[in-house]
Each structure stands twice: as C-alpha cells, then as structure tokens.
Amino acid sequence: TKLRDNVIPCFCTIECDFAHPISTGKYIENVKLRDDIAGWAAISKQLCIWDYTTNFRYFPSPFPNFDVMQDNLRFFKAHGAEFVFEQGAYKGPGAEFEALKVWLLSKWLWNPDLEEGPLLERFFTGYYGSAAKEVRTYFDELRALPRPDGKVHVTCFDPPFSKEILPDEFLERSRRLWDKAVEKAKHDEPIVLTNVLMGAMSVDFTMFQRVKDFVADD
C-alpha cells in the first residue's frame, strides 16, 4: 500500500500503558502500537498522534506518566509524526498536576529534546511559590515509587491505585507534605494557595476512595 500525500494515518494511545514508554514497554498494547506506527511510517510521509495525559475515569487520581511523556514524543517524532494532540482533563479543573503536564508538553511539542530539570525547576518555583519545596518533594517521591514493567500498568481508565502501588504510608506522608505546603502558601499570593489546594486534591481523593471502599466492603 502506498498512501496519497493527502492521507494522514492517525494513531491513538488510549489503550497503552503510561507507566512505561511506548518505545520499550512490554505491555501488549504498547508493543502493538509501536509496531503499527513503525509499519505505517514506512509507507507514509507523515503521521498524526492522538495522545492522552490523564486518568479519564477519575481526573484527580494520581496518574504518574511523567517518566514517559518526553520519551513518547521523541518516539513519535522519530517516526514522522508532524501532528500531535495531547488530550488531558477537559471537563474542568482538578486533574492531577494538570498545569505541570500542560507546561512540559507545550515545551516538548516544540522541542522534545529540552532538558527536563530546568523546566521542572522553573514551573515549581513559579507555580507553587513558597510551597515549592514541599510540592516538589511529593512529586519526586511519587515518581520514585516502583513500577516494574510487566507488573504495574497505568492506563487511562484505571480505578484509584491499590495499596500495592500507592501504600497507605506514602499517602499519609504525602498528606503531611501538602499540609505544610498549604501553611506556607497562606502567606504567599492568593493564587499560590489556590494552586496548592488544587494539587492536594489528588492525595485527598485517593484517601477518600479507600475509606469509602472500606466502608462499602465492611
């Protein structure tokens, strides 16, 4: 098959695992999609990608896809993708780290080789003000949680993570970090406090779901 120049294949990542890159992840949908993209790239001058950045079942739920966003964009670019649409939470505010994801993706869509470190530093300092240290600590600890390939997957419609993925101890420690962040933000610009309170919703939501599920099971 040889495509006409005005035909652009479009691929959606909706079924992929976002805990591991499309380029190397062992999850079956990651393997299938990268094979499809490579195959179509060989017979098409350009590709379109419809990518996803949040948990569409529960927007506030932690969705730790930060380790794959840049790698995925590099993979798309290497295979001729000239059009990439990043779909996040579209029904209102409150999704986990939604502003940070918009910030990073808006930079990497122009240049997927930009170093992550300076981008993160600039965002946390500017968005969370005096509470940046506590929020960044939570962010780093969330990213550091183990997600071995083949055992832990993150998909777009997952229920809130289990205790095996987000231990109760981690949530309790995270809640204390957000409490400290709120106290600091109270003495900052009003928008900083708003940003911190919105960010804390992710941990609050997960803890609430566990209590609700425990009561329901009981």
Side-chain angles (χ1 to χ4, degrees):
T1 300
K2 184 176 180 180
L3 299 182
R4 294 178 181 269
D5 290 344
N6 64 341
V7 176
I8 305 176
C10 183
F11 300 90
C12 297
T13 63
I14 192 84
E15 296 175 331
C16 287
D17 166 31
F18 294 94
H20 305 93
I22 292 172
S23 61
T24 59
K26 299 176 183 178
Y27 190 61
I28 184 60
E29 297 300 337
N30 290 36
V31 175
K32 289 165 59 177
L33 182 64
R34 69 170 171 260
D35 289 346
D36 284 346
I37 289 177
W40 282 97
I43 60 172
S44 176
K45 292 184 178 180
Q46 53 193 355
L47 302 179
C48 172
I49 305 293
W50 190 317
D51 196 20
Y52 301 86
T53 67
T54 191
N55 183 326
F56 290 99
R57 185 173 181 179
Y58 297 110
F59 286 143
S61 184
F63 191 77
N65 60 333
F66 291 96
D67 291 336
V68 308
M69 293 194 303
Q70 186 173 22
D71 189 283
N72 286 350
L73 283 172
R74 287 171 173 168
F75 175 77
F76 299 150
K77 179 182 178 182
H79 288 81
E82 296 190 14
F83 310 93
V84 179
F85 172 56
E86 299 287 359
Q87 182 173 348
Y90 60 94
K91 293 183 178 179
E96 183 245 14
F97 280 125
E98 58 185 339
L100 174 57
K101 291 176 183 179
V102 170
W103 165 256
L104 290 174
L105 290 168
S106 66
K107 297 296 183 181
W108 287 333
L109 282 167
W110 288 107
N111 181 2
D113 294 321
L114 288 177
E115 187 178 349
E116 179 192 75
L119 295 177
L120 290 176
E121 182 65 27
R122 185 177 176 187
F123 178 86
F124 279 96
T125 300
Y127 196 75
Y128 294 110
S130 58
K133 179 181 178 181
E134 286 73 21
V135 182
R136 180 61 188 271
T137 299
Y138 164 74
F139 173 79
D140 290 340
E141 290 186 2
L142 178 65
R143 290 185 73 173
L145 290 173
R147 293 189 294 275
D149 204 352
K151 294 183 179 180
V152 177
H153 305 299
V154 175
T155 65
C156 286
F157 298 98
D158 283 340
F161 287 129
S162 67
K163 294 182 180 180
E164 288 72 27
I165 301 176
L166 289 181
D168 286 338
E169 296 78 10
F170 168 77
L171 292 177
E172 291 167 2
R173 184 169 66 254
S174 299
R175 180 64 265 176
R176 291 193 293 270
L177 282 170
W178 283 107
D179 286 343
K180 291 180 180 179
V182 169
E183 287 304 312
K184 286 190 175 182
K186 288 179 179 178
H187 306 286
D188 211 319
E189 297 293 327
I191 188 60
V192 171
L193 178 58
T194 298
N195 293 343
V196 170
L197 289 172
M198 293 296 290
M201 283 178 55
S202 182
V203 172
D204 291 341
F205 172 82
T206 305
M207 297 179 78
F208 172 77
Q209 285 293 121
R210 290 204 182 158
V211 172
K212 180 179 70 66
D213 293 341
F214 174 78
V215 172
D217 292 341
D218 190 49

